[in-house]
Short mmCIF file of all heavy atoms in Angstrom, two decimals:
data_model
loop_
_atom_site.label_atom_id
_atom_site.label_comp_id
_atom_site.label_asym_id
_atom_site.label_seq_id
_atom_site.Cartn_x
_atom_site.Cartn_y
_atom_site.Cartn_z
N LEU A 35 4.53 1.32 5.08
CA LEU A 35 5.03 1.24 6.45
C LEU A 35 4.45 0.01 7.14
O LEU A 35 5.17 -0.74 7.80
CB LEU A 35 4.69 2.50 7.24
CG LEU A 35 5.02 2.47 8.73
CD1 LEU A 35 6.53 2.31 8.96
CD2 LEU A 35 4.51 3.73 9.41
N ASP A 36 3.16 -0.20 6.98
CA ASP A 36 2.51 -1.37 7.58
C ASP A 36 3.16 -2.66 7.09
O ASP A 36 3.40 -3.58 7.88
CB ASP A 36 1.02 -1.35 7.26
CG ASP A 36 0.28 -2.50 7.90
OD1 ASP A 36 0.30 -2.60 9.14
OD2 ASP A 36 -0.33 -3.30 7.16
N MET A 37 3.46 -2.72 5.81
CA MET A 37 4.11 -3.92 5.26
C MET A 37 5.51 -4.11 5.85
O MET A 37 5.91 -5.23 6.14
CB MET A 37 4.15 -3.83 3.74
CG MET A 37 2.78 -4.01 3.09
SD MET A 37 2.75 -3.79 1.29
CE MET A 37 4.02 -4.90 0.75
N GLN A 38 6.25 -3.02 6.02
CA GLN A 38 7.60 -3.11 6.60
C GLN A 38 7.53 -3.63 8.03
O GLN A 38 8.33 -4.49 8.42
CB GLN A 38 8.27 -1.73 6.59
CG GLN A 38 8.72 -1.27 5.23
CD GLN A 38 9.93 -2.03 4.75
OE1 GLN A 38 10.83 -2.36 5.50
NE2 GLN A 38 9.95 -2.33 3.47
N LEU A 39 6.60 -3.11 8.82
CA LEU A 39 6.48 -3.54 10.20
C LEU A 39 6.01 -4.99 10.29
O LEU A 39 6.47 -5.75 11.14
CB LEU A 39 5.54 -2.61 10.97
CG LEU A 39 6.00 -1.15 11.08
CD1 LEU A 39 4.95 -0.31 11.79
CD2 LEU A 39 7.35 -1.04 11.77
N ALA A 40 5.10 -5.39 9.42
CA ALA A 40 4.63 -6.77 9.39
C ALA A 40 5.75 -7.73 8.99
O ALA A 40 5.84 -8.85 9.51
CB ALA A 40 3.45 -6.91 8.44
N GLN A 41 6.61 -7.27 8.11
CA GLN A 41 7.71 -8.11 7.65
C GLN A 41 8.68 -8.43 8.79
O GLN A 41 9.27 -9.50 8.83
CB GLN A 41 8.45 -7.42 6.51
CG GLN A 41 9.46 -8.30 5.82
CD GLN A 41 10.07 -7.60 4.62
OE1 GLN A 41 10.15 -6.38 4.57
NE2 GLN A 41 10.50 -8.39 3.66
N ILE A 42 8.81 -7.54 9.74
CA ILE A 42 9.67 -7.80 10.90
C ILE A 42 9.16 -9.02 11.66
O ILE A 42 9.92 -9.91 12.02
CB ILE A 42 9.75 -6.56 11.82
CG1 ILE A 42 10.50 -5.43 11.11
CG2 ILE A 42 10.42 -6.92 13.15
CD1 ILE A 42 10.46 -4.11 11.83
N VAL A 43 7.86 -9.07 11.87
CA VAL A 43 7.27 -10.20 12.57
C VAL A 43 7.44 -11.49 11.76
O VAL A 43 7.77 -12.54 12.31
CB VAL A 43 5.76 -9.96 12.85
CG1 VAL A 43 5.09 -11.19 13.41
CG2 VAL A 43 5.58 -8.78 13.77
N GLN A 44 7.26 -11.40 10.46
CA GLN A 44 7.31 -12.58 9.61
C GLN A 44 8.71 -13.14 9.43
O GLN A 44 8.87 -14.34 9.20
CB GLN A 44 6.71 -12.25 8.24
CG GLN A 44 5.25 -11.91 8.31
CD GLN A 44 4.73 -11.32 7.00
OE1 GLN A 44 5.49 -11.07 6.07
NE2 GLN A 44 3.43 -11.12 6.93
N THR A 45 9.73 -12.31 9.50
CA THR A 45 11.07 -12.76 9.16
C THR A 45 12.03 -12.86 10.34
O THR A 45 13.13 -13.36 10.17
CB THR A 45 11.71 -11.81 8.11
OG1 THR A 45 11.81 -10.49 8.67
CG2 THR A 45 10.90 -11.78 6.84
N THR A 46 11.63 -12.42 11.50
CA THR A 46 12.53 -12.41 12.64
C THR A 46 12.24 -13.59 13.55
O THR A 46 11.11 -13.80 13.96
CB THR A 46 12.39 -11.09 13.44
OG1 THR A 46 12.62 -10.00 12.55
CG2 THR A 46 13.38 -11.03 14.58
N ARG A 47 13.29 -14.34 13.87
CA ARG A 47 13.13 -15.51 14.73
C ARG A 47 13.51 -15.21 16.18
O ARG A 47 13.01 -15.85 17.09
CB ARG A 47 13.96 -16.66 14.20
CG ARG A 47 13.52 -17.12 12.83
CD ARG A 47 14.29 -18.35 12.40
NE ARG A 47 14.00 -18.70 11.03
CZ ARG A 47 13.01 -19.50 10.65
NH1 ARG A 47 12.22 -20.03 11.55
NH2 ARG A 47 12.82 -19.78 9.38
N GLN A 48 14.41 -14.27 16.38
CA GLN A 48 14.84 -13.96 17.74
C GLN A 48 14.18 -12.66 18.20
O GLN A 48 14.30 -11.63 17.54
CB GLN A 48 16.36 -13.80 17.77
CG GLN A 48 17.08 -15.09 17.43
CD GLN A 48 18.58 -14.92 17.51
OE1 GLN A 48 19.07 -13.94 18.06
NE2 GLN A 48 19.30 -15.89 16.95
N PRO A 49 13.48 -12.71 19.33
CA PRO A 49 12.75 -11.53 19.82
C PRO A 49 13.63 -10.28 19.97
O PRO A 49 13.19 -9.18 19.67
CB PRO A 49 12.19 -11.98 21.16
CG PRO A 49 12.12 -13.46 21.08
CD PRO A 49 13.25 -13.88 20.20
N MET A 50 14.85 -10.44 20.44
CA MET A 50 15.72 -9.28 20.64
C MET A 50 16.05 -8.60 19.31
O MET A 50 16.09 -7.36 19.24
CB MET A 50 17.02 -9.69 21.36
CG MET A 50 17.89 -8.51 21.71
SD MET A 50 17.10 -7.29 22.78
CE MET A 50 17.13 -8.14 24.32
N VAL A 51 16.25 -9.38 18.28
CA VAL A 51 16.53 -8.81 16.96
C VAL A 51 15.31 -8.05 16.46
O VAL A 51 15.41 -6.95 15.92
CB VAL A 51 16.96 -9.90 15.96
CG1 VAL A 51 17.08 -9.34 14.55
CG2 VAL A 51 18.27 -10.55 16.40
N GLY A 52 14.14 -8.63 16.64
CA GLY A 52 12.91 -7.96 16.26
C GLY A 52 12.72 -6.65 17.01
O GLY A 52 12.33 -5.64 16.42
N GLN A 53 13.01 -6.66 18.30
CA GLN A 53 12.89 -5.44 19.10
C GLN A 53 13.86 -4.37 18.61
O GLN A 53 13.51 -3.19 18.56
CB GLN A 53 13.16 -5.75 20.58
CG GLN A 53 12.96 -4.56 21.48
CD GLN A 53 11.54 -4.03 21.43
OE1 GLN A 53 10.57 -4.80 21.45
NE2 GLN A 53 11.38 -2.73 21.34
N MET A 54 15.06 -4.77 18.23
CA MET A 54 16.03 -3.81 17.70
C MET A 54 15.54 -3.19 16.39
O MET A 54 15.70 -1.99 16.16
CB MET A 54 17.39 -4.49 17.50
CG MET A 54 18.07 -4.81 18.82
SD MET A 54 19.56 -5.85 18.74
CE MET A 54 20.35 -5.38 17.26
N ARG A 55 14.93 -4.00 15.56
CA ARG A 55 14.39 -3.48 14.29
C ARG A 55 13.25 -2.51 14.53
O ARG A 55 13.16 -1.47 13.89
CB ARG A 55 13.96 -4.64 13.40
CG ARG A 55 15.13 -5.43 12.88
CD ARG A 55 14.68 -6.60 12.05
NE ARG A 55 15.85 -7.34 11.58
CZ ARG A 55 15.79 -8.55 11.09
NH1 ARG A 55 14.64 -9.19 10.97
NH2 ARG A 55 16.90 -9.15 10.68
N TYR A 56 12.37 -2.87 15.45
CA TYR A 56 11.27 -1.96 15.79
C TYR A 56 11.79 -0.66 16.39
O TYR A 56 11.26 0.41 16.10
CB TYR A 56 10.28 -2.62 16.75
CG TYR A 56 9.31 -3.56 16.08
CD1 TYR A 56 9.15 -4.85 16.54
CD2 TYR A 56 8.55 -3.14 15.00
CE1 TYR A 56 8.25 -5.72 15.93
CE2 TYR A 56 7.65 -3.99 14.38
CZ TYR A 56 7.51 -5.28 14.86
OH TYR A 56 6.62 -6.14 14.25
N THR A 57 12.82 -0.74 17.20
CA THR A 57 13.42 0.46 17.78
C THR A 57 13.99 1.34 16.68
O THR A 57 13.83 2.57 16.72
CB THR A 57 14.52 0.07 18.80
OG1 THR A 57 13.90 -0.68 19.85
CG2 THR A 57 15.19 1.30 19.38
N TRP A 58 14.63 0.74 15.70
CA TRP A 58 15.18 1.52 14.58
C TRP A 58 14.05 2.26 13.87
O TRP A 58 14.17 3.47 13.58
CB TRP A 58 15.92 0.61 13.59
CG TRP A 58 16.54 1.39 12.49
CD1 TRP A 58 17.78 1.93 12.46
CD2 TRP A 58 15.92 1.77 11.24
NE1 TRP A 58 17.99 2.61 11.29
CE2 TRP A 58 16.85 2.53 10.52
CE3 TRP A 58 14.67 1.54 10.67
CZ2 TRP A 58 16.58 3.05 9.26
CZ3 TRP A 58 14.40 2.07 9.41
CH2 TRP A 58 15.35 2.81 8.73
N TRP A 59 12.96 1.57 13.57
CA TRP A 59 11.84 2.21 12.89
C TRP A 59 11.24 3.32 13.75
O TRP A 59 10.90 4.39 13.24
CB TRP A 59 10.77 1.18 12.50
CG TRP A 59 11.10 0.54 11.20
CD1 TRP A 59 11.67 -0.69 11.00
CD2 TRP A 59 10.91 1.09 9.90
NE1 TRP A 59 11.84 -0.92 9.66
CE2 TRP A 59 11.38 0.16 8.96
CE3 TRP A 59 10.38 2.29 9.43
CZ2 TRP A 59 11.34 0.38 7.59
CZ3 TRP A 59 10.34 2.51 8.06
CH2 TRP A 59 10.82 1.56 7.16
N HIS A 60 11.09 3.08 15.02
CA HIS A 60 10.54 4.09 15.93
C HIS A 60 11.39 5.35 15.89
O HIS A 60 10.86 6.46 15.72
CB HIS A 60 10.46 3.51 17.34
CG HIS A 60 9.70 4.36 18.29
ND1 HIS A 60 10.26 5.44 18.95
CD2 HIS A 60 8.41 4.31 18.70
CE1 HIS A 60 9.36 6.00 19.71
NE2 HIS A 60 8.22 5.33 19.59
N GLU A 61 12.69 5.19 16.03
CA GLU A 61 13.59 6.35 16.02
C GLU A 61 13.60 7.04 14.66
O GLU A 61 13.64 8.27 14.58
CB GLU A 61 14.99 5.91 16.42
CG GLU A 61 15.08 5.51 17.88
CD GLU A 61 16.41 4.90 18.26
OE1 GLU A 61 17.29 4.74 17.38
OE2 GLU A 61 16.58 4.57 19.45
N ALA A 62 13.57 6.26 13.59
CA ALA A 62 13.59 6.83 12.24
C ALA A 62 12.31 7.64 11.98
O ALA A 62 12.36 8.70 11.35
CB ALA A 62 13.76 5.73 11.20
N LEU A 63 11.18 7.15 12.46
CA LEU A 63 9.92 7.87 12.26
C LEU A 63 9.89 9.16 13.09
O LEU A 63 9.43 10.20 12.61
CB LEU A 63 8.73 6.98 12.61
CG LEU A 63 8.47 5.84 11.62
CD1 LEU A 63 7.53 4.80 12.22
CD2 LEU A 63 7.95 6.37 10.30
N GLU A 64 10.40 9.10 14.31
CA GLU A 64 10.48 10.32 15.12
C GLU A 64 11.40 11.35 14.48
O GLU A 64 11.15 12.55 14.55
CB GLU A 64 10.96 9.99 16.53
CG GLU A 64 9.90 9.38 17.40
CD GLU A 64 10.38 9.17 18.82
OE1 GLU A 64 11.58 8.95 19.03
OE2 GLU A 64 9.52 9.21 19.72
N ALA A 65 12.47 10.89 13.84
CA ALA A 65 13.43 11.79 13.22
C ALA A 65 12.84 12.53 12.02
O ALA A 65 13.40 13.54 11.57
CB ALA A 65 14.68 11.01 12.80
N LEU A 66 11.72 12.06 11.49
CA LEU A 66 11.09 12.76 10.37
C LEU A 66 10.68 14.17 10.75
O LEU A 66 10.57 15.05 9.90
CB LEU A 66 9.87 11.97 9.86
CG LEU A 66 10.17 10.64 9.18
CD1 LEU A 66 8.86 9.93 8.82
CD2 LEU A 66 11.04 10.82 7.95
N ASP A 67 10.45 14.42 12.03
CA ASP A 67 10.09 15.76 12.49
C ASP A 67 11.25 16.74 12.38
O ASP A 67 11.04 17.95 12.38
CB ASP A 67 9.60 15.72 13.95
CG ASP A 67 8.21 15.11 14.07
OD1 ASP A 67 7.44 15.19 13.09
OD2 ASP A 67 7.91 14.57 15.14
N ASP A 68 12.47 16.22 12.32
CA ASP A 68 13.65 17.08 12.22
C ASP A 68 13.86 17.65 10.83
O ASP A 68 14.70 18.51 10.63
CB ASP A 68 14.91 16.30 12.63
CG ASP A 68 14.86 15.87 14.08
OD1 ASP A 68 14.10 16.49 14.86
OD2 ASP A 68 15.56 14.91 14.43
N GLY A 69 13.12 17.13 9.86
CA GLY A 69 13.21 17.64 8.50
C GLY A 69 14.38 17.12 7.70
O GLY A 69 14.60 17.55 6.59
N ARG A 70 15.13 16.18 8.26
CA ARG A 70 16.23 15.59 7.50
C ARG A 70 15.67 14.67 6.43
O ARG A 70 14.78 13.87 6.71
CB ARG A 70 17.14 14.79 8.42
CG ARG A 70 17.88 15.65 9.43
CD ARG A 70 18.67 14.78 10.35
NE ARG A 70 17.71 14.12 11.25
CZ ARG A 70 18.03 13.22 12.15
NH1 ARG A 70 19.26 12.83 12.28
NH2 ARG A 70 17.12 12.69 12.93
N PRO A 71 16.17 14.76 5.21
CA PRO A 71 15.65 13.87 4.16
C PRO A 71 16.12 12.44 4.39
O PRO A 71 17.31 12.17 4.48
CB PRO A 71 16.24 14.44 2.87
CG PRO A 71 17.42 15.23 3.30
CD PRO A 71 17.15 15.69 4.70
N PRO A 72 15.19 11.52 4.54
CA PRO A 72 15.57 10.13 4.80
C PRO A 72 16.05 9.43 3.53
O PRO A 72 15.64 9.76 2.42
CB PRO A 72 14.28 9.50 5.30
CG PRO A 72 13.20 10.34 4.73
CD PRO A 72 13.76 11.73 4.58
N ALA A 73 16.93 8.46 3.72
CA ALA A 73 17.44 7.69 2.59
C ALA A 73 16.58 6.46 2.31
O ALA A 73 16.59 5.94 1.20
CB ALA A 73 18.88 7.25 2.87
N GLN A 74 15.84 6.00 3.28
CA GLN A 74 15.01 4.81 3.14
C GLN A 74 13.75 5.17 2.35
O GLN A 74 13.08 6.16 2.67
CB GLN A 74 14.69 4.27 4.54
CG GLN A 74 14.39 2.81 4.63
CD GLN A 74 12.97 2.44 4.26
OE1 GLN A 74 12.10 3.29 4.13
NE2 GLN A 74 12.74 1.16 4.08
N PRO A 75 13.37 4.39 1.32
CA PRO A 75 12.23 4.75 0.46
C PRO A 75 10.90 4.93 1.19
O PRO A 75 10.14 5.86 0.89
CB PRO A 75 12.15 3.61 -0.54
CG PRO A 75 13.51 3.01 -0.57
CD PRO A 75 14.07 3.19 0.81
N VAL A 76 10.58 4.07 2.14
CA VAL A 76 9.31 4.21 2.86
C VAL A 76 9.32 5.48 3.69
O VAL A 76 8.33 6.23 3.71
CB VAL A 76 9.04 2.96 3.74
CG1 VAL A 76 7.83 3.18 4.62
CG2 VAL A 76 8.86 1.73 2.87
N LEU A 77 10.44 5.75 4.35
CA LEU A 77 10.54 6.98 5.14
C LEU A 77 10.45 8.22 4.25
O LEU A 77 9.82 9.21 4.62
CB LEU A 77 11.85 7.00 5.92
CG LEU A 77 11.97 5.97 7.04
CD1 LEU A 77 13.37 5.98 7.63
CD2 LEU A 77 10.93 6.19 8.11
N ARG A 78 11.06 8.16 3.09
CA ARG A 78 11.00 9.29 2.16
C ARG A 78 9.56 9.54 1.73
O ARG A 78 9.08 10.67 1.70
CB ARG A 78 11.89 9.04 0.95
CG ARG A 78 11.94 10.24 0.00
CD ARG A 78 12.89 10.02 -1.16
NE ARG A 78 14.23 9.70 -0.73
CZ ARG A 78 15.15 10.60 -0.38
NH1 ARG A 78 14.85 11.88 -0.39
NH2 ARG A 78 16.35 10.24 -0.01
N ALA A 79 8.84 8.47 1.41
CA ALA A 79 7.43 8.61 0.99
C ALA A 79 6.59 9.19 2.12
O ALA A 79 5.73 10.05 1.89
CB ALA A 79 6.89 7.26 0.54
N LEU A 80 6.82 8.73 3.34
CA LEU A 80 6.08 9.27 4.48
C LEU A 80 6.42 10.74 4.70
O LEU A 80 5.53 11.55 4.97
CB LEU A 80 6.40 8.47 5.75
CG LEU A 80 5.82 7.06 5.80
CD1 LEU A 80 6.47 6.26 6.92
CD2 LEU A 80 4.31 7.10 5.97
N ALA A 81 7.69 11.08 4.57
CA ALA A 81 8.12 12.47 4.76
C ALA A 81 7.47 13.39 3.72
O ALA A 81 7.10 14.52 4.03
CB ALA A 81 9.64 12.57 4.68
N GLU A 82 7.33 12.90 2.51
CA GLU A 82 6.79 13.72 1.43
C GLU A 82 5.27 13.86 1.48
O GLU A 82 4.73 14.87 1.04
CB GLU A 82 7.20 13.14 0.08
CG GLU A 82 8.69 13.25 -0.19
CD GLU A 82 9.14 12.51 -1.43
OE1 GLU A 82 8.29 11.84 -2.09
OE2 GLU A 82 10.33 12.56 -1.75
#
Side-chain angles (χ1 to χ4, degrees):
L35 173 62
D36 182 60
M37 289 175 53
Q38 287 287 322
L39 297 177
Q41 190 175 28
I42 293 171
V43 173
Q44 296 169 354
T45 62
T46 304
R47 296 186 188 271
Q48 296 182 14
M50 185 59 75
V51 173
Q53 184 61 43
M54 289 170 35
R55 290 178 181 165
Y56 280 127
T57 298
W58 183 90
W59 275 100
H60 190 277
E61 291 172 358
L63 290 165
E64 283 184 330
L66 291 176
D67 287 334
D68 296 338
R70 294 176 287 176
Q74 206 278 348
V76 172
L77 292 173
R78 184 176 304 276
L80 289 166
E82 292 172 357

